[in-house]
Amino acid sequence: MQGFLDPAILFFVFGILAGTLKSNLEIPPQIARFLSLYLLMALGLKGGFALAKSGLTPEVVTSLGAALVLAVAVPAAGYLVLRRVVSGYDAAAVAATYGSVSAVTFITAVQYLDTHGVPYGGHMAAAMALMESPAIVMAVVLSNLVRQREAHAGGAAPGRVATPLTRVMHEALTDGAQLLLLGAMAVGLLSGPAGEAVMQPFAVDLFKGMLAFFLLDMGLLAARNMGQLRGKSPWLLAYAVVGPLAHAGLALALSWALGLSAGNAALLMVLAASASYIAVPAVIRQAIPEANPSLYFGMSLGLTFPFNILLGIPLYVRVAQACL
């Protein structure tokens, strides 16, 4: 119950209610974009400052390795499950969406850990960056294989060709938000304690209020995208909740095997359980036009994101603390 009384979470709930009531309340897109960039920059700085203090420890390397394993395992498993329910294109798109990560979910989880005094490594921001792109590459490869099979069977759409993997990788790896996160981490790492003292008012004091404002906007967006789930297969709706729980369970098992701390394990669980609703859908819309955007976007933003913000994050943290 305490998690629900957090002001940022309450603003998210308020946004959902306002959106459900079809209020004309809205955050201008330019403001929302600024807020997301601010949060990523502040998170990167905080991670860089923490890395400057801790250095490259064995747990840092182990955590990043675990993130890469999950970045491949989650979309691969998702595709194998989803292709039994939807087309190969939709399975690849949804698997990529759930194989990648939600930066806002991660940022909310970091704030939750800070509020409850749970220690974690600043390098987990780098783990988030590492987990964003592999799922996109896998989805493009899988969709190209589906196109090849259809071409051999004579069922491919006229003029449809495989998406160049190099172009997609360039878009995924040079995404502005991801570069800002990594750049801010580098700045924090290089500037160290002196930089942390200078940036304290920007990266720490403003963070909570900015997050609350952004979550208000995310609540409005989530409410307005829930309608896209009407008429979808119950199996897909179940996957939008059960899938993240299964992915978090896989992250927990990996964390236990590698001996990660409870805080780092909780963030790894959050990353594995989250689903992208910004970067991946934007790339997938161009790379896999055969897939239905209302499916992967509606599932991730309309159901999985609210579930993780309201229930998932407290659950993952408590389970990690109990098991590790």
Side-chain angles (χ1 to χ4, degrees), residues 243-254 269 272 316:
L245 292 173
H247 303 158
L250 178 61
L252 177 64
L254 192 58
M269 292 170 71
Y316 307 144

Side-chain angles (χ1 to χ4, degrees), residues 216-244:
L216 168 63
D217 182 51
M218 294 310 305
L220 292 167
L221 283 176
R224 290 162 185 168
N225 280 275
M226 288 177 182
Q228 297 187 36
L229 299 175
R230 292 194 187 95
K232 304 301 181 187
S233 167
W235 293 107
L236 289 174
L237 300 183
Y239 181 84
V241 174
V242 177

Side-chain angles (χ1 to χ4, degrees), residues 117-141:
V118 181
Y120 61 90
H123 64 278
M124 293 306 294
M128 181 185 74
L130 285 175
M131 292 180 70
E132 182 145 18
S133 300
I136 300 175
V137 175
M138 288 183 64
V140 172
V141 172

Side-chain angles (χ1 to χ4, degrees), residues 32 37 49 56 77 79 118 142 151 174 188 195 205 218 229-230 243 260 265 322:
L37 292 177
F49 296 144
L56 194 63
Y79 179 77
V118 181
L142 291 169
T174 59
D205 296 345
M218 294 310 305
L229 299 175
R230 292 194 187 95
L260 300 185

